Amino acid sequence: MNPIELIDKLEQDHILGHSDFLRLLSGNLLPDEALYLKQRAREVTDRTFGRKVRIRGLIEITNVCRNNCLYCGLRKDNRILKRYTLTDDEILGCCKTGHDMGFRTFVLQGGENPAITAEKVTNLVSAIHDRYPDSAITLSLGEWDDYSLKMFRDAGATRYLLRHETINPAHYSRLHPDEMSRDNRLRCLDTLKQLGYQTGTGIIVGSPFQTLDNIAEDLLFMRDLKPEMIGIGPFLPHSLTPFSSYRAGDLDLTLRIISILRLMFPHANIPSTTALATLHENGRCLGLLAGANVVMPNLSPPDMRNQYSLYDNKAAFGAESAEGLKALSSQLAKNNLYITTEKGDYSDV
Ligand code: SAH
Ligand code: SF4
């Protein structure tokens, strides 16, 4: 089969074999084949969501983390970073600001901060759920035991983002210290699914040592998991990590993977990520035009945003921020895309 036929097959069957995925991932696609992939992905996105782009307000609740992922600026061995933890009142204040602006999803993201116990998260989720029953609460707070994940779910969280990062064990162990385990992450993802969370996973594109083979394995893993949300962004180096001198992930490859995922999962919520917007000035729109349907403007208190430094130069202001919704809207309008404030659950299509 030639690449055009492979793309048609992917759209129809939502899956390809490992070697066929490799052919779409490799840089050998001709320009019109690459364009066709993107067009099919956007066409499928239009069929599911129209030209609407769903917004989620991102609240970065703490930059304290017990873990030491080698790629991340929040890793505990980064002793230079000034750490912060928002109080419940500050977080509720962010929700209020967001709710007034029309946000109906709050994403609470943060490092694995030992001071933020399961009980605290549960109480916080309950408080947000009580005040904003019309809004969805998404958590992105790393790995927890099954019991805690159940408490959060019972308190009103309905979505959870936990990228698997890479499914290949050898690759996983080059990105993480020995005390972290890929299997624990997979256990969490399994539990999230069983608890009925809309579950998000994903990878960093172009992380050090990643091969196209690894990405093909990740795609096959995601086929089995059936995530309702998929977060894909390029690797971006952080100067105070062991990976400071590695190159950033590739824009075209990131966009191609978004398109492949859209053809695999026509209904999934796929954000055009902050990392993509940081890599390229028009990255956010390029991601949407390649098949993404979600953006996550930053709702964190502005004076804390620079401290949530997963990677260098992270975009957090202007069109990447909640207060920049107008700027974002006009960027999108140029591409005939429009913000919707609908809650936008997985099943709402
Ligand atoms: N602690 C939680 C949530 C915060 S990190 C967790 O790890 O799940 C959120 C995501 O940021 C991670 O899943 C990772 O994929 C991404 N990330 C971290 N460092 C990055 C980097 N240098 N470049 C690109 N993405 C990065
Ligand atoms: Fe902590 Fe998440 Fe960064 Fe890993 S990626 S160091 S778990 S914040």
Side-chain angles (χ1 to χ4, degrees):
M1 262 191 253
N2 65 39
I4 298 285
E5 289 166 336
L6 283 181
I7 294 163
D8 287 340
K9 183 168 170 2
L10 178 60
E11 181 178 348
Q12 204 176 352
D13 300 349
H14 310 300
I15 187 68
L16 293 175
H18 185 101
S19 58
D20 287 340
F21 271 137
L22 271 184
R23 286 179 63 201
L24 295 187
L25 291 168
S26 78
N28 298 336
L29 288 192
L30 297 171
D32 55 334
E33 293 164 347
L35 183 65
Y36 185 68
L37 173 61
K38 189 172 81 171
Q39 285 171 340
R40 291 317 307 154
R42 188 58 233 181
E43 168 75 26
V44 168
T45 315
D46 284 349
R47 222 182 294 146
T48 310
F49 304 101
R51 301 300 287 187
K52 291 184 198 165
V53 176
R54 296 173 168 181
I55 52 169
R56 282 68 168 97
L58 179 65
I59 308 174
E60 297 156 337
I61 67 170
T62 179
N63 70 351
V64 176
C65 190
R66 77 175 106 222
N67 290 331
N68 240 336
C69 305
L70 274 74
Y71 42 83
C72 177
L74 306 191
R75 65 200 305 273
K76 78 166 171 226
D77 282 358
N78 179 1
R79 313 261 177 229
I80 293 173
L81 181 68
K82 204 172 143 218
R83 305 284 172 164
Y84 75 86
T85 302
L86 300 185
T87 63
D88 282 6
D89 281 348
E90 285 170 324
I91 296 167
L92 286 163
C94 296
C95 294
K96 169 151 180 32
T97 308
H99 197 268
D100 289 347
M101 292 172 136
F103 285 90
R104 292 296 176 268
T105 295
F106 303 115
V107 182
L108 308 187
Q109 193 184 79
E112 295 189 19
N113 179 347
I116 304 187
T117 59
E119 199 187 347
K120 287 194 175 165
V121 175
T122 306
N123 291 339
L124 177 63
V125 169
S126 293
I128 299 173
H129 190 55
D130 281 353
R131 276 194 210 185
Y132 305 105
D134 61 347
S135 301
I137 302 168
T138 306
L139 299 179
S140 177
L141 299 172
E143 300 169 18
W144 295 81
D145 58 75
D146 292 354
Y147 183 73
S148 303
L149 293 174
K150 178 161 178 4
M151 292 210 304
F152 308 158
R153 181 78 184 83
D154 291 344
T158 54
R159 309 176 186 161
Y160 204 106
L161 301 173
L162 186 71
R163 293 185 180 176
H164 68 284
E165 314 293 4
T166 175
I167 199 63
N168 183 284
H171 185 218
Y172 184 92
S173 64
R174 298 184 82 174
L175 299 182
H176 301 94
D178 287 347
E179 62 272 18
M180 290 182 75
S181 114
R182 181 199 74 140
D183 290 349
N184 193 44
R185 211 144 179 105
L186 298 186
R187 189 263 311 153
C188 290
L189 285 168
D190 190 46
T191 300
L192 291 166
K193 273 287 197 181
Q194 284 184 29
L195 289 169
Y197 279 97
Q198 292 167 54
T199 304
T201 195
I203 62 170
I204 303 176
V205 179
S207 59
F209 320 114
Q210 184 185 55
T211 62
L212 294 182
D213 255 311
N214 294 150
I215 299 174
E217 292 169 41
D218 289 319
L219 294 173
L220 291 167
F221 163 71
M222 289 192 258
R223 178 74 265 150
D224 290 340
L225 181 72
K226 301 183 184 59
E228 285 82 12
M229 306 178 284
I230 306 164
I232 297 294
F235 166 72
L236 294 166
H238 186 290
S239 52
L240 299 171
T241 64
F243 291 160
S244 58
S245 59
Y246 285 79
R247 269 190 314 168
D250 182 71
L251 175 69
D252 282 339
L253 181 60
T254 307
L255 296 173
R256 218 173 317 142
I257 296 171
I258 290 176
S259 296
I260 290 173
L261 287 164
R262 172 57 68 209
L263 294 179
M264 291 173 72
F265 301 101
H267 294 99
N269 281 313
I270 303 180
S272 186
T273 55
T274 304
L276 199 49
T278 304
L279 181 70
H280 188 278
E281 57 182 350
N282 197 30
R284 190 181 312 93
C285 286
L286 293 174
L288 294 167
L289 295 172
N293 69 307
V294 171
V295 292
M296 297 169 63
N298 197 313
L299 256 184
S300 308
D303 47 343
M304 301 290 175
R305 286 182 201 164
N306 284 336
Q307 280 159 256
Y308 197 81
S309 56
L310 301 169
Y311 39 80
D312 291 335
N313 308 315
K314 186 166 140 281
F317 294 93
E320 199 53 35
S321 66
E323 65 277 9
L325 266 192
K326 261 209 180 125
L328 177 63
S329 296
S330 58
Q331 273 188 11
L332 297 186
K334 288 185 197 135
N335 296 287
N336 190 24
L337 291 164
Y338 303 92
I339 287 174
T340 169
T341 53
E342 287 157 22
K343 194 161 123 189
D345 280 308
Y346 177 73
S347 51
D348 295 344
V349 286

